[in-house]
Structure formats: C-alpha cells, structure tokens
Amino acid sequence: MNIFWRELKTYRKSMIFWSLGLIFLVASGMNKYQATAANGQINDLMAEMPKSLQVIMGGGALDLSKASGYFGILVLYFLLMATIHAAMLGANIIAKEERDKTAEFLFVKPLSRHGIITWKLLSAVVNILIFNLVSWLSSMLIVGAYSKGEAVGGDISIVMLGMLIVQLLFLVIGTSIAAVHRNAKQAASLATGFMLITFILSIAIDFNSKLAFLKYVTPFKFYEAKNIMYGGGFEAVYVIISAVVIVGLTVVTYAAFGKRDVHV
C-alpha cells in the first residue's frame, strides 16, 4: 500500500498539469465555437472543405452548429492528450526505478515483484481515472454552458467512456514496453512513439479508404466521436479487441518484469 500512495504522490503534479491543460483546451475550443460556429454557417464552410479534411473532422456525421457536434471535433485533441499521458505514465511507472537508480531500495522490501507491479498498476489506473473524471466533469460543465438547452450529457459520457478504454490500452502498452525493453531510459520514448504511429495511421485511414482494414490495429479508430455519438454506441468488435489487448499486455507486463534482470 505504501508503494501505491508513493506513486500517487510522485505523479500528483503531473496529473494537475495534464488536467489543467485539458480544461483549457475544452474552454478555448468551446469559446471558439461561440465565436464561429453557433450561427450555423460552419456546416456550409465544412461542405466547401476538401473531402479528406471533412472526413478527419467528422464531416456530415457531426452537426458543427451544435455544441455537441463541435465538441466531437475537440475529442480528437482530448484523445491525443490522454493517450500521451497514459503511454508515458505506463512506461515511467515501471521503468523509473532502474532509471532513477532506486531499484535496489525498492526490491529489498518484503514484497514480491508481482506485488510491486500490482500496486504500481493500481496507482496508474487511479491516475487515469482521475484524468478521465476531470475531462468528463469539465466537458459537462463547459459544453453544457454553450449548449443552449441541447442535451449533451449522454454524448459526452459515451465519448469519455471510450476515451477511458483507449487510455487503459495505452497505459498497458507503456507498461509492457517498459517491462520488456532492457533500456529503462528509452521506455517512455518508445511508448510515445508507438502511440504517435497509431495516431498517424488513423489519419492515413481517413485519407485513404483502401486502408480501412487497418482500423482494427489503431485504437484511435475504435471509439471515434463521429461514430459513437448520437446513439451510435460502441461496436462489439472494438470492445472485444480492447479487452483482449488490455488483459494480454497486463500479463506480458507481469511475466516480463518478473523474469528480467533489474539493473541497480
């Protein structure tokens, strides 16, 4: 339990920084909505944009004259922030003992490696939950203030649930990379790099429909706002893939870290 509280304390400032950044993004984005989109003309402007840009921004799937539709565009940026945070957190929380030369102090404690990983993972999940909760509450309050009576709670909630699943995906991607890779200092960079590759791949899929078969390998395509809002809901195949990957990479984290030689 001491490890759990220590990790929460260690990442407290980071959590505050990321949370404030997301709140600022929501506020600035919706302020721009009030200035440019609330008059309804933005849908006409969107229709004049290149087809590829329309697809990336939601195209006709999102009514940008509504607060919920404009929020749907902002979700892409929320997701990018959330996944960077999750991937770095997952990698760092596993690798930092070797990187910071504190492994010897930690591993002489009367606690198994699996026990240490368990408390670290629980702490990381709590961090993810707090970040997601801040995202949900700030979105509900800020978007609701601009909604002009539109019911936005359901759409925001399902988007945030999807984002939570993707956060957990990248968290375990980060932990598994840190557990497998021998160089602790490179773990966070590799996890973030993998995240950026999958993000770029999701953009490429939007540009070229021939790449649509790759949507099953990039989490950024699993819970897109334009697909799950307005009653669209989650697709079962993506939920199953997410669950399998989260469980599988958690097992990899435990197995790889349990066998590795820890450099002190």
Side-chain angles (χ1 to χ4, degrees), residues 30-211:
M30 295 311 298
N31 185 61
K32 186 176 292 185
Y33 159 78
Q34 184 181 41
T36 62
N39 57 14
Q41 295 179 355
I42 192 170
N43 285 323
D44 297 330
L45 178 63
M46 176 66 72
E48 297 175 0
M49 291 183 177
K51 185 65 176 178
S52 57
L53 187 58
Q54 292 184 39
V55 172
I56 294 173
M57 298 183 68
L62 296 171
D63 184 353
L64 304 185
S65 65
K66 294 182 178 180
S68 60
Y70 201 86
F71 170 78
I73 292 180
L74 298 178
V75 168
L76 178 63
Y77 305 100
F78 299 166
L79 193 58
L80 191 58
M81 286 184 64
T83 51
I84 291 173
H85 169 258
M88 292 181 64
L89 175 64
N92 284 327
I93 206 166
I94 300 299
K96 71 184 182 73
E97 306 300 343
E98 289 184 81
R99 183 196 63 202
D100 298 340
K101 308 299 182 183
T102 58
E104 185 175 12
F105 171 78
L106 179 62
F107 290 108
V108 297
K109 300 293 183 181
L111 189 63
S112 69
R113 287 195 182 190
H114 283 181
I116 292 171
I117 291 295
T118 297
W119 287 118
K120 283 177 171 286
L121 285 176
L122 286 174
S123 174
V125 169
V126 169
N127 268 273
I128 294 295
L129 290 173
I130 292 173
F131 184 86
N132 192 271
L133 180 61
V134 170
S135 305
W136 178 71
L137 289 175
S138 59
S139 297
M140 291 286 286
L141 293 173
I142 297 172
V143 177
Y146 289 92
S147 65
K148 298 180 180 179
E150 177 192 359
V152 297
D155 288 330
I156 291 175
S157 296
I158 195 169
V159 164
M160 289 302 162
L161 179 57
M163 190 172 86
L164 175 61
I165 298 173
V166 178
Q167 286 175 278
L168 294 174
L169 273 167
F170 279 101
L171 174 68
V172 294
I173 287 171
T175 60
S176 60
I177 289 175
V180 171
H181 194 61
R182 292 181 179 276
N183 191 330
K185 294 181 179 179
Q186 295 180 356
S189 298
L190 289 172
T192 306
F194 181 84
M195 183 278 301
L196 290 175
I197 289 172
T198 57
F199 175 73
I200 293 170
L201 178 59
S202 71
I203 299 298
I205 292 170
D206 285 328
F207 272 94
N208 188 347
S209 60
K210 293 181 180 179
L211 299 175

